[in-house]
Structure formats: C-alpha cells, structure tokens
Amino acid sequence: MLEIINCQIEAKTWRITLPDIDVQKGELLVITGPSGIGKSTLLHWLLGNIPQHVAIKGQIILSGINITHLAIEQRRVGLLMQDVYLFPHLNVQDNICFALPKNPQLSSKKPPRSSKKQRRAAAMNMLEQINLEHLATRYPQNLSGGERSRVGLIRALANQPQVMLLDEPFAALDPSTREQMGAWAFQQLAEQNIPSVMVSHDVEDIPASAKQICLADYYQASEQK
Amino acid sequence: MTSRLFRSLSNIFSVCFVLVSVATANANPEFKRITTIEENSAQWQQTLKAAKGQSVYFYAWGGSKAVNDYIRWATREIAQQYRVKLIHVKVTDPSEPVSRLKAENGRTSAIDLMWVNGENFAYLKQQEFLLGKLWSTIPNAAFLVVDSLPITVDFGEPMDGFEVPWGIGQFNLIAENGVFQQSQVSATSLLDIAKKNPNTVTYPRPPEFHGTTFLKQLLVNLTDADPHLYQSATQQAQDELLPVLWQYLDQLHPYLWQQGKAFPSSAAEQLLLYQQKVLSMTVSFNPNQWLKEKSTQQISESSVRRYFTDGAITNSHNLAVPKSAPSPDAAKVVINFMLSEKAQKEKFTGVWGDPSVITSLFYEKATMPAHPELHSSWHVLIEDAWQQRYGG
Amino acid sequence: MAATIRRVAPLARIRQIALSSGWLLVFLISLLPILGIVVGLWPPEHITFADIEAFLGYQGLSASVFMTLFSAIFSTLISLYIAFMVYSQYHLSRRLQSFEKYLAPLLSLPHLAIALGLVFLFSDGSVFFIDSGLPRKGLSTLIIAIVIKEVPFFLLIFSAIGRQLPIKYWLLQGQALGYQDYRCWWFLVFPALLKQSRLALLAATAYTLSAVDVSLLVGPNIPELFAVSVYRWQTSFAAGDQALAFWANALLLILLAVSVLILYGHEKLAHAGCKALATTGSRFQIGKINPVFKAWLPMLGLLTTMMVLVFALWSLGFNWHSDSFAVTQLTTRLWQDEWLFFALPLQNSWLIGVFSGLLGVASALLALELQRQKGKYWPDYYWLLAIILPQLSMVLGWQIMHIWSQGGYHSGWIVLSHLPFTFAYAYLVLKGPFQSVEPRYELLAASFGYSPWQSWWQVRFRLLLPAIFTAFAIAFSVSIAQYIPTLMLGAGRVPTITTEAVAIGSGSQQDLIALYVLLQSILPFMAFFVAALLARRFRGSMGGQDARDY
C-alpha cells in the first residue's frame, strides 16, 4: 500500500496542498489537472527524482516503510512513461533480464551459468505469459508502438515493484491500440496486486474503478509580495 | 702521455692535410681563380634588368630566429637595392623543397632559390633538377675563399656550379665550462667527462646530421685520422676502423643521458635540454652560436665552445636555383647580394654569427681549425651500422 | 489535374538533379584521399620486392611497430574510458552547461605544445626541481601527453552525442529498476556512447599511429616509433630510402587496418561485456570509482593554466634556468618584434579555417542526408579516409595532381586541401547526433504542410545546431592545425600561423616557440569558446536540463 502524507507542492507563485492519499494493492490512482500544474512533478517526486523548480514536502510511505529520503534505486518503484525508453542496445529478452531483481537466487557476483540461464528463462516465461515470446530476440527499434508499451510494462513488472508509476503511458499510441493497451495494462497491474499511480490528462484513459484526484482542486495562488 | 701522443699525431696530420689540400687546389686551377662575369658586364646588367620587379621564393629552414631575422634584413636590403622581392618560405626540413622538385618533375617550379647541402644536393644534382653555371654567372662568386676553406665539394659531391656556398658549418660543442675544462675534446677526455658527470652528455640520434658528425669526429680521433676515411670505404677499411668506434661507444653509452636508451631527436632539442640544464653539453655547426645564445641569455654565462682535437669537421651550406625556377635571374641577384661584403659581414657580425665565405672577410680567428669531411660513403655506413648496433 | 502533373514533373527533375549533383560532390570530396594516396604512393620504377628484405631487416622494426600500435590503441582506449567516467560525473550536473567552455583552452593547445609543457613541468630538470619519474622520452610520456589531449576531444564528442540521446530517461528507468547511478552509466549509457563515438576512436588512433612531431619530441627513440621512421625515409633522398619509404607506407596502411579491426573488436567485446553485466544483475563494483573523475576537469584546468603560464612567461623572455634573472626583465619586445610578421599569417589561417570549416560541415551534412534518403549508410572508415590514411603520401599525391593541373598557388587550393580533413572531422562529430534525431519531428513538420526542404531546415538542422557548432569548432581548429597540406599545396605562397609555428618549432628558440604556440592556440580557442556558448543557447533534441517540465 502506498500512502502520501502531508504533501505540499510549492512554486514561486502558487502552492498545492494535497489531502492525505492512500492507494491500496491493486488499486489505481489517477492524477489529473491542466498542463503545467505539477502532475509529472508529483509523480517524479514519488519516483525519487527531485524536481528543480518547485519544492515538495511530505512523506511517502510504501508498504509501511517511509521511503521519502531513499534513493530512486532503493524504492522499488516501477516506471512507465509515454516513451517507454527500452534500452536500444539490449533486445527484448535482455531488457527484461536487466529488470529482474538482483536477489541471491537470480544473481551473484560472478554469475554461474545456471543463474544466467535462470534469468533468461524467467524473462522468457514472462513474455510467454502475454504471448509475446516471438519478440524475445527483437531490438526495441523494430517494435511497434503497442509492442513497445507492452514490453515496457512487462519490464517494469519484472522488477517486482512495490508501486507502479505511469506518466501518460499510452498518449503516443493510436486510439484503438490505446484503449486495448490500457485495459490490458490495468488488468495486469490489478492481477499482480500492485498499487499504481497514473498521470493523465485524457479522461478516456481512466478506467471506471480508478480513484481520481484533480490537482486543480487544491490549487492556491500565493499572496504577492 | 697518450693524449700528448694524440696531439702530436694530429699536428702531423694537420700539416699533411694542408699539403694535400694545396695539392688538390693546384690540380684544379679552375678553382684557384674563379672565372666569372664582372659586375658591370652586359650579361650581368641584363640579369639585373630582368630581375627587377620579380619575386624570389626562397625555401629555407625557418627554425632559427637568428636566421629568420637575417633573411628579413636581407629582404629589406634587396628590395631597396634591386627592386626584387625576397620571400622566405619557412620549412622545417630541408627535404621539403627536394620532395617538391621531385613532384614537379621539371614543370615550372614554385621554388626560385633554396638552401641546401649534403645528400639533398647530391640527389638534386644527379636528377638534373638544378640550374648550372652559377659560379660563372654571378659576379661575387669571384671572391669565394676556395683556397682556405673546403667549399668546392659538398660531402664528396663536387659543386660544379650547381650551388654556391653561403656560409660555413664547423662542428663544435657548446658546453659548461666547469665540466669541459680543456679547450679541445678527444674521445678519451669525453669518456672521462661522461663518467664523472653521468647522464649529462649525449648526442642527437643518428641519422640526424649532427649526431652522425659527432660519430665521425670520434672515429677520426680514435683512428688518428686514418687516410682511408677520406677515400671510398673498402670492406677492409671498414673491418679495420669501425670496430674501434663501436668498442668506444659500448663504453660510453652507459654514462650518457638516459643511459643511451634515448637520444635527443635533433640538435635543436639537445640545445633545449642544455638550456634547461639537463645536459652539460650540446652540439652545433655554427662556430659562433655559443656567443649569440649567450648574448641573448638563452644559455648560461659559463657556456664555452669546445671542438675535437683533430679540428672541427667543416662543410658549407649553400644556395641553389632549380632549373625550372620561374625567376632565375632574380634568384641570381639574391645570391649575388648574399655573397656581397655587406651581406656576408652582417651575417657574421649580426644576430646570426655565421662565418663569411668571401676573401675580404675571412678571418682565421672566426673559424676553428678545420678538418675535412670524410668520404661520403662513410656517412651512410656509420649511420646504418649505428642503427644496427644501437638503434633497435 | 493535368496542370498539376506538369508542374510536378520539372520539380521532380530538379530534385533529381540536385540529388545527383549532391552525390557527385560528396563522392569527389571523399575520393580525394584515395586519389591522393594512389598517386602519392605510386611505386617509382626502381621499387622491387627485394627491397622488402632490406625493409624487414631494419634493426628494431618489430619492436618499433609493436610500440607504435600499442601506444595508439592504448592511449585511445584509456582516453575513451577516462572521458566516459568524467562525462558520467558532469552530464547531469548544473556545471555541465559550462563544461565545454572549460574544455576550450585545452582543446586549442596543439599536441606538441602539450607534450612540450608536460616534460618541461614534470620531467627531470623541471621547474619544480623534483623528479616525478616522468622520462623526457619514453612510451609512458608519449601516452600521457596523448591522453591529456584526447580526453577533452572525447568529452566534446560525448557531449555532442549526449545531447541527442535520452540519457536522462535511461538513467531514470535504470534507477527505477534498482540500479545505482554508476551502474546505469556503465550498463546502459556506455554501449550507446561507444557505438556512436566509433569514428572518433578511429580518428584518435589513426592520429597517434602517424603522429610525427609528438613522437619525435617525447616518444622513445631506441627504437624510434614507426611513424618517425616512415617520415625519415620518406623525406630522405639517399639511395634506397625511397624504396624503404614505399614499403613502410604499405605497412603503415596495414597497421591502420589492424587498428580498425582491434577497435571494432574492442567495441564488440565491450558491448557484450556490458550486456552480460546488465542482464545477469551483476553488482559491478568497479563503477564506483567514477566519482574520482570529478577531479579530472579541475586538475586538467590547473595543468592547462600552468602550461599557458609557462608559455606566456617564456614568450616574455623569462628563463627558469638563467643564472641571473629578475622578474623586472620581463619584456614584450618579442611580441612587438613579431607582431608585424604574424598578423598576416593569422589572418590567412582565420580565413582558410572559416571557409574550409564551413564547407566541411556543409558537405558532411550533405553526405549524411543523402545516405539517410537512400536508407543506407556507408561504412564509417570510408568517410574518414582523410584522417586514417598516411598523410604525407596522400598530400604528396595531391601535390603532384595540383602540379599537373598547373592551377597556380592561392588560398583556394589550400581550402580545398583542408576540405577532406574538415569534412571527415565534421562527419565524425555529426554522424551520431544526425542519426539520433527523432524522425517523428520531421514527420510532424511535414504534417503541418512544410516541404521536405523547409522541414529539414526548420527541424533537423535546428535540432542539430549544437552539434553543428561543435563540428564547426573542431573542423575549424583542424584546418588551423594543418601543416603539410598548407605548405605542399600553397607552396609557401600563403603563410599561415601553423606553417610559421611549425617552422619555428623545429628550432630551439624557447621564447619564440612559446610565442607561436600561444598564437596558434588563439584561433581554435575562440572557436571552441564561442561554439560552447552557442551550443548552450540552442539545445539539441533531447535538451539539457529542462527538456520536459516535472
């Protein structure tokens, strides 16, 4: 479960004070609001990427642990952006291998052959589950937009994240793919029981079951000096 | 004891040398009195007229400020006197104009005048790239000091009018007085000095010209100037003479700068090392360079000039005109000026300090006792054998 | 309907003519190096295979060849890795924005000046009077001098490439997946940068392989480096040396081919290594040393300052080793004396540099665009032939052709002779950024009704601007540094600051050498500095800090 407590975004001329939010396992929180209001800023703060133009205060509690001051790589958050940023020098299977957790079973300082094999098998297994095993040896630049999004999500899930962050994930897709992709993605996230936070300004992207928060509702202009 | 023996032997040799050179001069009466045209002859007036308004592209090494400044001075003088424009094309390596002439292969050249000697001259002469009869068509050639200086032959190759001597090179060492206390250096004393002051003595890596000459001086000294050195090198002479040099170098090298595992690439680099007091000596072909460097504070006050006991190997550096030069007349006018009393005097007394090659300005004092060049076949032999023994 | 067709037909023809003349131009430029080497190396009649024996029997040949190859490959790869680690420290920091500016002074000092300054500062008899153990002449000194000079070059290349790559997002993704910053750099960014800087690696290796001046000054000479031997034979006209030069040049070509292979091999290995590490969830501790390299730039800055200071003091007549020297004796006399004589060469250099630089960048863009339209890119080494092939023989070939043409001597020929070099360097800087421009942007522009020309100009060119500035600065400084083509094609009619500086450098006049080193650095310094300032204004397609707001 993800909890956001006492969160306040403060810029030069405005301030947003959010109510405390919690996102349950398998639940989806959608952050909406007009552009430039700080949706992505909030998301990147959750990720651990400190924004430079605004100040954000507050606490992030993930599965009971305060992760507010942890480095990005220690938070175990999944990230899916509009451009998926699959790593171009790795093929699909290797992209997923990269994301697999570095726990003792799956890796070691000097990986024995078996561990390497295990990881590859695990990645393949994930691809098979979504019927994309034929893409395993393809490179990202040879994938279609929809395929890229799917692989991106699988890659993020491969890391067994505690929370999933989606930044307008399907905005670049054509409408029919987007709808299909959205439904598929939310189903995956729900099945894996992961709390998710999505930024979107397209209302159609939002499934009915999602929680919504509109930043504009909490917007205050600061008093001029 | 031995050094005295050396000295007396070398004295005997010097006498022999003078005799020999007089004999050769007598055998070639052409060189005793140089026949050339007069300043006021119609032919020379014709040349002057044709030269007027022309440009002369002069390919000459540009690494020395002294030489560059001298050429700048000459440029001004020549422009005033003859309305000829002298343009110094500064090259880093004397082979650059040679390579250009080879590429041009007889087509109109970009070069009017070049500074040349040694193997480059031999090559150009043999390929027939050079304009001949310079001595007989340039009035001031009449005053060349052919009887006191070895300036009719360039490294065993007779000049034959294809180049004109401009100045004199004499091999000498510029050294710290405290380290090189005697005014003359022999192979033995050099070894002593190197042993007492390890890591401060060296020579440019052959086949760099100064480096090879350094070896020649040692060879002359070690073999008491064996007469075979002045003749084409026979196999027997090689087997007899060269091993002495190698034995000596085997002894010397461990005491050299960097234990003889690296050498300066050029005399210029060695001078820089000397300036920075890494070395106690450097080599030079200009007998007056030490004075000039001292006067500009480039080297320490305690620097002195030293030469080998047998005399300094002496040769000339020369001016030549390509056969295909676009302005040969103007080039001759420039050469004539360069041989004039005014130009030769400025060259010697001015920034450069290069000794004069004309009779009226020839002072015995300006030069060191001269030693003739070895036969040119030895040059290549020494270089190749050195490379074989120490170069790899 | 018929009217439209009639209007389209001539347009298509114009387009086709433009395309074919573009190809022709690009071919001519890229063929110049091949033509040069063929004509320049054309064996004189007296060359026989028997000469090979003399050549192969040359004492110390194998050691010399091995040392040369080793120093070229080793110094290039060391520079690459150092530059990458330095870059990883600066890429995301605020200071990145100005770091190219700091590179400018070092980039503009010629190789030879750096070698000179290095041994003067740190070798025996150095100003500090301490023996740092750096030999005056030796492989280690040579490699250090080359590395000092190549690292900023690679940094500049990385910076040009990095502007077009989504490095920031790769790092974010990598970190979100649980990898520390330094691991992301090695696993994710390094392979991409390595692939795109392949041409720069080739250029650096080829340079070191055939560098004569630096090798002569600080390289070992028992045995001497191969490039030095080649140069010596080629410039000697004693019997047999020209034949040696021919075979030596042939071997040099083989060495170049071998180093190309080694570099490709290294790339493959490094790529496979990074991939293996990335996919096995390795810990890869070595990357932790990256932060150490934060100190590199300040150190380099200090070193450059010291060198420039040494040269400035020398040119003012200061002499460390003089017996009696007072600061009051500092004088600007030399500057005043020489001023009359260096103004014209400076102006010539500047004009030739601007023209050949602009032409080089323009033709590199043309070559890239033509290949993109064709959908197929030619092998890299083809475009870099001017840098890779032995310069002396190649330029000798041009000289011979130039003499055949009887075209006279003027700066136009010199610009033309610099063009293959400026083209090759511009190409190597631009290729990576050019290929990573998102084609979507141009599609977008086309959808707004812009013609291909307009959208190319308005979108692709604009996005590439920072890389173009860098490319121009490098091309310009490459043109400034050219000695052999300037002298051989210009026949001394057009003195440049480099022909003067190199001639002076062959002597031993410390103060004059220093003065010309400084003069030679001024123009490239200005170019790099201005390019760095401009590149900041026009950010690339992936932007610097603020490409997206969040």
Side-chain angles (χ1 to χ4, degrees):
Chain A
M1 188 179 81
L2 172 75
E3 293 164 86
I4 305 169
I5 303 167
N6 285 336
C7 179
Q8 192 179 55
I9 309 173
E10 194 167 0
K12 265 191 193 142
T13 56
W14 51 265
R15 176 194 309 150
I16 291 172
T17 315
L18 288 178
D20 291 356
I21 305 167
D22 62 281
V23 188
Q24 300 297 325
K25 283 188 173 171
E27 200 178 21
L28 175 68
L29 169 74
V30 180
I31 305 172
T32 58
S35 345
I37 201 166
K39 300 188 298 287
S40 289
T41 307
L42 182 61
L43 199 76
H44 278 270
W45 176 66
L46 291 175
L47 176 65
N49 192 17
I50 314 299
Q52 280 163 348
H53 305 290
V54 293
I56 302 194
K57 286 183 290 191
Q59 281 188 322
I60 312 165
I61 314 287
L62 187 57
S63 313
I65 302 163
N66 184 347
I67 60 162
T68 318
H69 301 291
L70 287 185
I72 304 177
E73 62 266 21
Q74 290 162 335
R75 296 190 177 197
R76 312 224 42 191
V77 286
L79 176 67
L80 193 62
M81 290 188 276
Q82 175 178 333
D83 194 321
V84 183
Y85 295 113
L86 292 177
F87 307 126
H89 65 293
L90 301 175
N91 64 22
V92 167
Q93 192 178 14
D94 290 338
N95 259 287
I96 297 170
C97 279
F98 180 78
L100 288 170
K102 294 171 285 298
N103 59 31
Q105 292 94 47
L106 284 174
S107 82
S108 65
K109 212 165 187 186
K110 237 185 169 187
R113 219 157 259 280
S114 62
S115 129
K116 196 173 169 183
K117 264 190 195 157
Q118 265 180 349
R119 292 177 71 90
R120 295 185 70 81
M124 204 58 188
N125 194 22
M126 297 190 75
L127 283 169
E128 276 164 5
Q129 277 172 19
I130 56 165
N131 294 322
L132 285 180
E133 63 271 24
H134 59 284
L135 297 181
T137 54
R138 289 238 223 127
Y139 279 86
Q141 48 277 35
N142 303 326
L143 300 180
S144 72
E147 287 168 337
R148 228 176 279 178
S149 290
R150 277 168 209 257
V151 175
L153 185 67
I154 289 297
R155 182 178 69 173
L157 292 176
N159 194 232
Q160 298 166 6
Q162 300 287 311
V163 61
M164 189 75 198
L165 305 176
L166 304 113
D167 189 358
E168 308 205 17
F170 315 120
L173 303 177
D174 61 83
S176 65
T177 321
R178 186 192 309 179
E179 203 172 312
Q180 222 184 334
M181 184 62 209
W184 176 80
F186 299 129
Q187 188 201 339
Q188 292 285 326
L189 289 169
E191 273 174 22
Q192 306 254 345
N193 243 343
I194 296 171
S196 313
V197 180
M198 176 165 92
V199 160
S200 176
H201 49 232
D202 195 340
V203 192
E204 282 173 37
D205 276 354
I206 306 168
S209 59
K211 249 189 204 174
Q212 264 197 53
I213 181 166
C214 181
L215 291 189
D217 298 346
Y218 309 99
Y219 180 89
Q220 295 167 279
S222 348
E223 54 278 23
Q224 299 293 318
K225 283 176 191 168
Chain B
M1 182 65 204
T2 37
S3 71
R4 197 183 297 163
L5 180 69
F6 269 122
R7 204 169 304 154
S8 52
L9 278 173
S10 65
N11 283 342
I12 292 169
F13 177 75
S14 314
V15 174
C16 293
F17 165 55
V18 171
L19 290 176
V20 167
S21 57
V22 169
T24 42
N26 280 339
N28 295 316
E30 188 199 337
F31 288 134
K32 183 83 176 157
R33 254 188 58 213
I34 302 149
T35 40
T36 184
I37 54 169
E38 302 271 326
E39 282 265 9
N40 48 18
S41 67
Q43 195 188 342
W44 183 247
Q45 292 309 317
Q46 185 60 37
T47 308
L48 281 177
K49 213 174 138 194
K52 215 163 251 181
Q54 302 272 5
S55 292
V56 172
Y57 284 91
F58 179 26
Y59 277 57
W61 181 61
S64 157
K65 179 167 164 56
V67 178
N68 294 351
D69 283 350
Y70 176 71
I71 296 177
R72 283 171 185 174
W73 170 83
T75 303
R76 287 194 295 273
E77 292 289 320
I78 292 166
Q80 265 174 18
Q81 285 185 37
Y82 305 101
R83 303 239 332 269
V84 168
K85 193 175 173 195
L86 181 66
I87 295 152
H88 181 190
V89 177
K90 297 192 186 85
V91 298
T92 49
D93 195 307
S95 71
E96 274 159 14
V98 182
S99 147
R100 166 165 280 277
L101 284 172
K102 191 183 167 209
E104 286 168 345
N105 199 15
R107 288 179 185 78
T108 308
S109 182
I111 307 168
D112 294 300
L113 183 63
M114 57 196 284
W115 192 12
V116 70
N117 74 355
E119 63 180 38
N120 287 327
F121 170 69
Y123 176 81
L124 290 173
K125 187 183 167 204
Q126 176 219 327
Q127 297 287 316
E128 300 182 353
F129 283 146
L130 294 179
L131 189 69
K133 295 186 187 153
L134 289 183
W135 289 49
S136 55
T137 52
I138 291 173
N140 283 340
F143 309 119
L144 287 167
V145 213
V146 285
D147 41 5
S148 316
L149 288 171
I151 53 172
T152 57
V153 173
D154 187 355
F155 281 82
E157 184 71 42
M159 290 188 188
D160 290 340
F162 288 102
E163 63 177 358
V164 180
W166 184 22
I168 287 299
Q170 288 201 298
F171 189 79
N172 63 88
L173 310 181
I174 300 173
E176 274 299 325
N177 195 11
V179 180
F180 286 73
Q181 284 163 356
Q182 286 164 326
S183 69
Q184 296 185 2
V185 181
S186 67
T188 327
S189 70
L190 186 77
L191 184 60
D192 279 347
I193 290 170
K195 278 183 181 167
K196 277 186 201 137
N197 307 277
N199 229 0
T200 70
V201 173
T202 190
Y203 57 96
R205 186 195 195 282
E208 203 275 346
F209 184 60
H210 294 79
T212 310
T213 309
F214 184 85
L215 296 180
K216 283 183 193 167
Q217 291 263 225
L218 286 172
L219 182 62
V220 167
N221 191 265
L222 289 165
T223 61
D224 297 339
D226 193 291
H228 290 104
L229 292 176
Y230 311 92
Q231 298 157 10
S232 186
T234 60
Q235 190 59 47
Q236 195 197 346
Q238 289 173 43
D239 293 344
E240 240 168 66
L241 300 176
L242 286 180
V244 192
L245 178 62
W246 309 138
Q247 276 160 24
Y248 176 80
L249 288 184
D250 287 343
Q251 280 182 292
L252 179 69
H253 276 191
Y255 302 103
L256 291 186
W257 178 65
Q258 302 219 346
Q259 292 80 51
K261 291 190 187 89
F263 291 83
S265 296
S266 63
E269 192 187 318
Q270 191 168 347
L271 180 60
L272 270 176
L273 290 171
Y274 178 70
Q275 284 169 355
Q276 294 170 10
K277 301 204 168 158
V278 176
L279 298 177
S280 64
M281 52 77 78
T282 184
V283 293
S284 171
F285 254 113
N286 179 346
N288 300 308
Q289 187 177 6
W290 65 296
L291 285 174
K292 302 296 166 190
E293 299 284 350
K294 248 160 76 161
S295 70
T296 53
Q297 291 196 321
Q298 292 288 315
I299 57 175
S300 66
E301 265 307 303
S302 48
S303 298
V304 286
R305 180 183 75 186
R306 297 290 180 245
Y307 57 92
F308 279 87
T309 45
D310 314 87
I313 287 184
T314 300
N315 50 43
S316 59
H317 50 88
N318 317 295
L319 298 172
V321 181
K323 210 193 247 171
S324 50
S327 323
D329 291 318
K332 282 181 186 171
V333 169
V334 172
I335 296 179
N336 195 53
F337 172 79
M338 293 298 197
L339 293 185
S340 69
E341 203 163 306
K342 187 176 189 182
Q344 287 281 319
K345 191 170 179 187
E346 172 71 20
K347 181 159 70 79
F348 175 59
T349 56
V351 279
W352 186 1
D354 188 55
S356 158
V357 287
I358 57 172
T359 9
S360 57
L361 293 169
F362 181 69
Y363 312 114
E364 290 289 343
K365 268 191 186 167
T367 54
M368 294 170 280
H371 192 93
E373 264 292 351
L374 276 53
H375 188 270
S376 57
S377 55
W378 289 96
H379 193 85
V380 181
L381 271 173
I382 293 173
E383 283 175 1
D384 287 353
W386 189 93
Q387 171 64 28
Q388 203 65 26
R389 292 185 68 92
Y390 306 106
Chain C
M1 187 66 196
T4 10
I5 290 172
R6 224 174 293 143
R7 244 183 50 213
V8 167
L11 263 180
R13 197 175 306 153
I14 288 172
R15 194 180 136 75
Q16 205 171 6
I17 291 172
L19 269 184
S20 1
S21 42
W23 274 112
L24 189 69
L25 189 70
V26 168
F27 266 126
L28 284 180
I29 295 172
S30 57
L31 273 179
L32 273 177
I34 302 177
L35 266 178
I37 203 85
V38 169
V39 175
L41 264 188
W42 198 260
E45 282 159 35
H46 56 267
I47 294 228
T48 61
F49 281 91
D51 297 321
I52 294 188
E53 225 170 293
F55 171 61
L56 292 180
Y58 186 74
Q59 184 65 30
L61 182 73
S62 51
S64 143
V65 165
F66 177 76
M67 275 196 323
T68 307
L69 194 61
F70 171 77
S71 61
I73 299 280
F74 185 73
S75 61
T76 304
L77 292 183
I78 285 286
S79 311
L80 170 84
Y81 285 103
I82 292 179
F84 174 72
M85 291 188 272
V86 175
Y87 183 64
S88 76
Q89 293 308 303
Y90 281 84
H91 175 69
L92 289 181
S93 85
R94 283 247 155 219
R95 278 196 283 169
L96 167 78
Q97 311 242 333
S98 45
F99 106 133
E100 281 182 29
K101 235 173 22 190
Y102 296 123
L103 293 181
L106 201 70
L107 279 166
S108 39
L109 278 178
H111 277 85
L112 194 65
I114 288 184
L116 196 65
L118 190 71
V119 290
F120 182 73
L121 287 171
F122 298 109
S123 273
D124 51 348
S126 74
V127 266
F128 301 126
F129 304 104
I130 44 155
D131 195 355
S132 62
L134 190 74
R136 279 272 168 175
K137 281 178 174 296
L139 211 53
S140 53
T141 315
L142 178 76
I143 290 175
I144 291 173
I146 301 269
V147 166
I148 290 178
K149 177 72 188 169
E150 298 296 4
V151 167
F153 172 67
F154 280 122
L155 279 173
L156 198 63
I157 299 289
F158 286 163
S159 172
I161 298 168
R163 280 198 212 93
Q164 318 293 147
L165 292 178
I167 294 181
K168 187 163 66 179
Y169 297 102
W170 290 344
L171 294 175
L172 263 187
Q173 282 289 359
Q175 284 175 302
L177 293 173
Y179 289 85
Q180 278 95 334
D181 181 64
Y182 65 85
R183 287 194 187 128
C184 296
W185 274 98
W186 282 105
F187 296 169
L188 306 177
V189 184
F190 185 66
L193 280 182
L194 179 63
K195 192 173 165 204
Q196 296 211 356
S197 43
R198 187 193 285 162
L199 293 172
L201 283 172
L202 255 177
T205 308
Y207 174 84
T208 312
L209 212 49
S210 44
V212 175
D213 51 357
V214 187
S215 306
L216 267 175
L217 188 69
V218 294
N221 59 11
I222 303 293
E224 54 193 2
L225 290 165
F226 189 58
V228 175
S229 306
V230 177
Y231 177 79
R232 210 160 40 65
W233 289 323
Q234 189 141 13
T235 54
S236 160
F237 295 90
D241 280 359
Q242 289 287 301
L244 284 179
F246 175 79
W247 292 113
N249 269 303
L251 180 59
L252 194 55
L253 284 176
I254 296 175
L255 283 185
L256 286 160
V258 169
S259 40
V260 170
L261 284 180
I262 295 179
L263 286 179
Y264 278 99
H266 163 262
E267 189 188 314
K268 282 255 176 312
L269 267 178
H271 214 273
C274 286
K275 196 166 151 175
L277 288 170
T279 52
T280 50
S282 159
R283 300 255 178 258
F284 193 64
Q285 304 292 340
I286 307 172
K288 277 190 185 156
I289 61 167
N290 284 19
V292 174
F293 287 87
K294 211 161 202 160
W296 182 271
L297 279 191
M299 257 171 51
L300 224 51
L302 186 68
L303 190 66
T304 316
T305 316
M306 274 159 61
M307 284 183 185
V308 170
L309 202 66
V310 165
F311 292 134
L313 284 172
W314 272 357
S315 76
L316 296 174
F318 188 77
N319 188 346
W320 264 263
H321 301 280
S322 162
D323 305 322
S324 55
F325 197 93
V327 182
T328 48
Q329 278 172 269
L330 288 184
T331 161
T332 54
R333 187 187 47 79
L334 192 64
W335 286 88
Q336 288 164 359
D337 277 5
E338 291 294 313
W339 164 249
L340 277 176
F341 299 96
F342 65 64
L344 176 72
L346 261 184
Q347 187 193 333
N348 283 339
S349 286
W350 154 257
L351 286 174
I352 293 168
V354 166
F355 279 107
S356 56
L358 285 177
L359 283 173
V361 170
S363 24
L365 282 174
L366 182 66
L368 284 165
E369 179 61 21
L370 289 171
Q371 291 178 91
R372 188 176 68 98
Q373 292 195 4
K374 210 153 192 208
K376 198 173 171 255
Y377 285 84
W378 289 44
D380 300 329
Y381 47 81
Y382 174 76
W383 299 109
L384 291 206
L385 280 176
I387 305 177
I388 299 174
L389 293 174
Q391 200 190 30
L392 199 56
S393 311
M394 180 171 73
V395 179
L396 183 69
W398 295 346
Q399 189 188 31
I400 293 172
M401 291 189 288
H402 171 233
I403 290 164
W404 285 342
S405 77
Q406 305 216 313
Y409 314 98
H410 50 80
S411 26
W413 288 110
I414 299 181
V415 171
L416 187 65
S417 73
H418 289 189
L419 185 53
F421 301 104
T422 56
F423 167 80
Y425 274 99
Y427 188 91
L428 86 84
V429 178
L430 288 173
K431 191 194 170 197
F434 187 90
Q435 283 187 314
S436 19
V437 169
E438 280 280 349
R440 268 182 295 176
Y441 292 122
E442 269 168 302
L443 279 181
L444 210 64
S447 76
F448 293 139
Y450 286 96
S451 76
W453 253 117
Q454 284 170 319
S455 68
W456 190 90
W457 184 252
Q458 298 279 351
V459 178
R460 184 168 285 265
F461 183 78
R462 287 297 166 87
L463 288 176
L464 280 173
L465 259 183
I468 288 174
F469 290 134
T470 307
F472 176 76
I474 289 186
F476 177 80
S477 65
V478 160
S479 160
I480 298 290
Q482 291 304 313
Y483 171 70
I484 294 175
T486 312
L487 188 72
M488 285 175 89
L489 277 273
R493 303 296 201 263
V494 189
T496 66
I497 200 66
T498 297
T499 60
E500 299 293 297
V502 174
I504 296 291
S506 69
S508 53
Q509 189 102 20
Q510 204 163 266
D511 48 355
L512 202 61
I513 292 176
L515 187 144
Y516 274 89
V517 160
L518 291 175
L519 283 176
Q520 213 190 345
S521 313
I522 284 177
L523 290 175
F525 173 75
M526 281 169 18
F528 284 117
F529 194 75
V530 171
L533 288 183
L534 287 176
R536 274 179 70 189
R537 281 176 165 247
F538 303 85
R539 296 202 180 92
S541 63
M542 286 302 162
Q545 296 291 318
D546 318 311
R548 275 172 71 165
D549 76 305
Y550 50 73

